[in-house]
Amino acid sequence: MEEKASTARTALKYGILTSVAIMVFTTILNVSGQSQNKWLAMLSYVIMIVGIVMAMKEFRETNKGFMTYGEGLGLGSLVSGILGFFASMFAMVYIKFIDPTIMTQTLDKARADMEAQGLDDAQIDRFMEASQKFSSPGFMFGAGVFGYLFMGFIFSLIIAAIIRREKPVFE
């Protein structure tokens, strides 16, 4: 009986590689002061997509050129779950130990944006209270993992449909 390529091993490899790439990218954005730039932050999705595509291509090649849609979807979801775990852990370490002022900067920018929109002080204060409740480490970690997993699943739905190559039935 022939041995199939391991989905978990491939997912772990590319989940870790992609999370390292996102960690480096995020650190560069934070150090350069561009972390508030939404367009640059969206490039992390491009990094995620590249990681998922590379994982699926390697899996397909090590599986004699074949990969079902379900295998691709599962692989992409595993990659994004692993990526979400490590990227969220890094974010927590970064916020807690490396640059504890980043949350204050983010909240200050949000306050300035709301003032520029013309919201009154009572509305801004309510929003700031709610924001502080959602900025607890546990909530942020869970939201980060879920966010990466959700987006990775959506990307994997599309990528697996493109990259899949079914094995012929009568072979």
Side-chain angles (χ1 to χ4, degrees):
M1 181 158 191
E2 55 188 77
E3 182 106 7
K4 280 189 80 166
S6 169
T7 307
R9 182 172 290 150
T10 306
L12 185 61
K13 174 183 174 183
Y14 283 96
I16 291 172
L17 287 173
T18 308
S19 64
V20 168
I22 286 183
M23 288 176 206
V24 169
F25 179 70
T26 304
T27 303
I28 291 170
L29 285 181
N30 289 337
V31 170
S32 66
Q34 295 294 318
S35 62
Q36 303 296 326
N37 187 333
K38 291 179 181 169
W39 292 107
L40 284 176
M42 293 278 234
L43 287 177
S44 64
Y45 290 128
V46 173
I47 295 170
M48 178 195 279
I49 290 169
V50 168
I52 292 171
V53 167
M54 289 172 52
M56 286 185 192
K57 282 188 172 187
E58 180 177 306
F59 178 80
R60 188 179 70 187
E61 292 308 312
T62 56
N63 199 25
K64 296 183 174 68
F66 300 108
M67 179 184 76
T68 66
Y69 182 75
E71 288 171 333
L73 181 59
L75 177 64
S77 297
L78 274 173
V79 167
S80 33
I82 293 165
L83 163 63
F85 176 78
F86 286 116
S88 295
M89 286 297 291
F90 173 75
M92 298 311 310
V93 169
Y94 192 88
I95 290 168
K96 188 83 170 162
F97 301 110
I98 299 172
D99 188 6
T101 64
I102 198 160
M103 288 304 293
T104 307
Q105 293 170 5
T106 302
L107 290 174
D108 289 345
K109 183 176 183 325
R111 179 179 285 280
D113 289 347
M114 287 186 283
E115 288 171 352
Q117 291 176 357
L119 296 176
D120 62 28
D121 288 338
Q123 291 174 319
I124 293 173
D125 289 339
R126 280 194 304 259
F127 175 79
M128 298 308 274
E129 282 179 31
S131 295
Q132 294 206 339
K133 289 178 186 174
F134 291 121
S135 64
S136 70
F139 183 82
M140 288 177 58
F141 177 78
V145 171
F146 179 76
Y148 274 105
L149 191 56
F150 179 75
M151 290 306 296
F153 180 76
I154 299 298
F155 294 145
S156 296
L157 284 170
I158 299 164
I159 297 167
I162 296 168
I163 293 182
R164 73 179 169 86
R165 190 175 298 147
E166 303 282 339
K167 194 172 195 172
V169 178
F170 297 110
E171 191 173 286

